[in-house]
């Protein structure tokens, strides 16, 4: 397990200690705004060299053969210009800011955008687990996706931390951490969670529990981690429903199949449209028109992307599942009828909680009459 101790204000001070096989890489990457104060191998000073990379990170090589523990102390200020990606605009001078993996605010033993880097984020192992201690100065508080095990000490993967003048609202589904939301917006979130939960229990019995919504400044972009939605700007009811469905109502699949994004994003968008229609927020016809426009725009720009859903993972086209995935499911519903489709989707969620689903197993849930449509969307 990695240990990360943070002291946060308008300035970041970090103490990072790691052990495990990834130390054999001989380097780590870090946000270039941070100054590395020292590198210790098994508690003793280690030689290290820092080089700036064009891709907006610094790579720090170190000489510590066979060391069991590496400790790095660093500090710095984020000014919104050193994020690894264009959407990473964090400024530690802001009243509210966030630290996330894309900020590279702690040492990472992989090159950003490498297969290893993304594998560590999407399928973390024990050596990617963190224990994080956060001290926030200036009267503000921190919110994180990690589980708090004691006062100010958290554990989990992919540590993401928001710092600001937060107030906490306890809800049946969990917690809302906010700094500017009005009471009517808080009530809207609670209602959305309640009716999403009620509707989805028609398919599989489950409850949204221990979920956290953390408000972050508009312009940073909303994003989701397991158990936590970091919500930027205005509330988007469709997005809220979508994220609540992710909590309990996706079938299990292997990492290879998951790369297609169909069984998480395609299935979730299908259910999102169902919830919206049930509560009179948007009819299914409008949802289908939205997906058709999104898919058409993508294919017109990139004709080579017109491949079957089963090939999305291998081709790196999983984002198309947000639009073409639910279109495929509604085409199947048109063929078998709404009642039969409800039975099939319920079976999908119930049967594949403990067992991995794939496209062949999904096809087997449908009657033979639906085979041509299934083949057209998933394999043709």
């Amino acid at each position: 397990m990695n240990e990360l101790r943070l002291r946060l204000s308008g300035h970041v001070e970090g103490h990072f200690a790691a052990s495990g096989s990834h130390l054999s890489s001989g380097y780590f990457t870090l946000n270039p705004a941070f100054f590395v104060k020292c590198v210790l191998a098994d508690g003793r000073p280690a030689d290290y060299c820092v080089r700036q990379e064009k891709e907006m990170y610094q790579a720090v090589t170190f000489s510590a053969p066979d060391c069991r523990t590496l400790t790095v102390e660093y500090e710095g200020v984020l000014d919104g210009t050193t994020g690894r990606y264009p959407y990473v605009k964090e400024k530690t001078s802001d009243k509210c800011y966030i630290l996330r993996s894309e900020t590279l605010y702690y040492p990472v033993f992989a090159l950003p955008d490498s297969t290893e880097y993304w594998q560590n984020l999407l399928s973390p192992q024990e050596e990617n687990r963190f224990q994080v201690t956060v001290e926030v100065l200036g009267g503000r508080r921190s919110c994180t996706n990690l589980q708090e095990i004691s006062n100010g000490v958290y554990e989990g993967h992919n540590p993401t931390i928001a710092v600001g003048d937060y107030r906490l609202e306890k809800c049946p589904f969990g917690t809302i951490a906010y700094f500017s939301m009005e009471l009517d917006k808080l009530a809207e979130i609670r209602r959305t969670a309640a009716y999403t939960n009620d509707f989805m229990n028609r398919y599989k019995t489950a409850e949204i529990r221990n979920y956290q919504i953390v408000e972050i400044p508009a312009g940073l972009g909303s994003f989701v981690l397991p158990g936590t939605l970091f919500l930027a700007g205005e509330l988007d009811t469709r997005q809220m429903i979508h994220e609540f469905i992710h909590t309990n109502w996706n079938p299990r699949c292997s990492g290879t199949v998951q790369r297609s994004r169909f069984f998480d994003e395609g299935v979730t968008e299908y259910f999102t449209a169902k919830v919206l229609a049930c509560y009179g927020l948007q009819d299914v016809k409008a949802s289908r028109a939205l997906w058709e426009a999104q898919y058409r725009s993508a294919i017109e720009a990139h004709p080579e992307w017109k491949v079957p859903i089963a090939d999305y993972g291998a081709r790196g086209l999983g984002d198309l599942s947000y639009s073409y995935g639910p279109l495929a499911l509604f085409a199947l519903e048109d063929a078998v009828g709404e009642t039969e489709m409800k039975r099939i989707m319920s079976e999908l969620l119930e049967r594949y909680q403990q067992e991995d689903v794939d496209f062949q197993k999904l096809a087997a849930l449908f009657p033979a009459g639906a085979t041509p449509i299934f083949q057209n969307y998933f394999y043709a």
Side-chain angles (χ1 to χ4, degrees):
M1 182 186 296
N2 301 303
E3 178 190 357
L4 179 61
R5 299 203 303 265
L6 297 169
R7 198 164 186 259
L8 305 175
S9 57
H11 187 85
V12 175
E13 296 179 39
H15 173 101
F16 174 83
S19 58
S21 61
H22 49 197
L23 299 186
S24 63
S25 66
Y27 73 91
F28 60 83
T29 56
L30 190 65
N31 191 296
F34 294 137
F35 169 69
V36 177
K37 297 194 294 183
C38 71
V39 177
L40 305 176
D42 294 331
R44 296 185 296 273
D47 293 332
Y48 64 94
C49 178
V50 180
R51 71 175 189 270
Q52 177 73 44
E53 298 291 348
K54 293 180 181 179
E55 292 82 2
M56 302 302 289
Y57 62 88
Q58 59 179 317
V60 181
T61 57
F62 57 89
S63 178
D66 303 320
C67 79
R68 291 175 297 176
T69 302
L70 192 79
T71 303
V72 182
E73 294 189 359
Y74 58 97
E75 64 181 357
V77 173
L78 300 175
D79 64 3
T81 66
T82 58
R84 174 66 183 87
Y85 305 93
Y87 60 85
V88 180
K89 305 171 184 177
E90 285 82 270
K91 297 180 182 179
T92 48
S93 61
D94 288 344
K95 289 184 65 176
C96 178
Y97 64 87
I98 57 174
L99 300 172
R100 45 184 160 174
S101 61
E102 296 97 319
T103 314
L104 290 176
Y105 77 96
Y106 56 82
V108 176
F109 298 94
L111 295 177
D113 280 343
S114 66
T115 300
E116 182 183 8
Y117 174 84
W118 288 110
Q119 183 70 20
N120 290 342
L121 288 179
L122 297 175
S123 302
Q125 305 301 312
E126 181 59 28
E127 65 183 22
N128 308 122
R129 188 174 177 84
F130 280 78
Q131 182 176 100
V132 180
T133 304
V134 183
E135 179 186 0
V136 182
L137 307 181
R140 293 183 290 179
R141 78 190 313 161
S142 63
C143 298
T144 177
N145 62 309
L146 306 183
Q147 180 181 1
E148 187 169 19
I149 60 172
S150 63
N151 187 30
V153 181
Y154 307 87
E155 284 191 5
H157 297 99
N158 192 6
T160 300
I161 298 165
V163 177
D165 296 321
Y166 281 107
R167 290 172 285 174
L168 300 182
E169 175 84 4
K170 295 294 184 180
C171 305
F173 67 80
T175 305
I176 305 172
Y178 67 100
F179 55 84
S180 68
M181 284 186 192
E182 301 293 337
L183 292 178
D184 61 331
K185 297 299 183 184
L186 297 173
E188 183 181 345
I189 293 174
R190 290 194 297 269
R191 285 195 302 270
T192 303
Y195 62 62
T196 301
N197 196 99
D198 289 347
F199 181 86
M200 292 306 301
N201 270 265
R202 303 177 187 183
Y203 292 85
K204 188 187 85 171
T205 302
E207 294 292 328
I208 302 171
R209 286 286 182 266
N210 301 318
Y211 197 74
Q212 180 178 216
I213 295 175
V214 179
E215 182 185 9
I216 59 176
L220 292 184
S222 299
F223 62 97
V224 178
L225 295 172
T228 305
L229 166 61
F230 291 88
L231 183 65
E234 289 298 313
L235 290 179
D236 182 331
T237 301
R238 185 186 196 99
Q239 181 192 17
M240 295 284 300
I241 294 169
H242 181 105
E243 302 307 338
F244 282 133
I245 291 170
H246 273 315
T247 62
N248 291 305
W249 294 282
N250 286 149
R252 200 181 85 169
C253 59
S254 69
T256 301
V257 173
Q258 194 275 340
R259 289 183 63 195
S260 74
R261 308 309 302 276
F262 172 79
F263 288 105
D264 54 355
E265 303 305 347
V267 168
T268 297
E269 273 295 284
Y270 168 85
F271 283 130
T272 298
K274 288 287 191 179
V275 175
L276 287 167
C278 178
Y279 292 97
L281 301 172
Q282 184 179 63
D283 62 29
V284 169
K285 184 177 179 180
S287 291
R288 293 176 77 162
L290 173 67
W291 297 323
E292 286 167 358
Q294 291 171 342
Y295 181 70
R296 188 184 313 113
S297 175
I299 298 305
E300 286 175 355
H302 301 278
E304 70 277 12
W305 289 2
K306 193 173 184 180
V307 300
I309 293 171
D311 290 345
Y312 282 0
R315 298 284 296 274
L317 298 175
D319 284 353
L320 292 178
S321 281
Y322 283 89
S323 56
Y324 201 55
L327 287 173
L329 289 169
F330 273 107
L332 288 164
E333 182 174 300
D334 292 342
V336 303
E338 191 170 358
T339 300
E340 177 66 3
M341 191 66 173
K342 180 178 180 299
R343 183 197 66 77
I344 291 169
M345 296 304 285
S346 295
E347 186 174 355
L348 172 67
L349 296 183
E350 292 287 357
R351 179 181 294 188
Y352 296 106
Q353 294 183 72
Q354 308 300 327
E355 176 188 345
D356 288 346
V357 69
D358 57 29
F359 294 112
Q360 290 182 328
K361 292 176 180 177
L362 176 64
L365 299 178
F366 287 88
T371 299
I373 294 172
F374 196 95
Q375 290 288 330
N376 183 53
Y377 279 91
F378 290 88
Y379 292 113

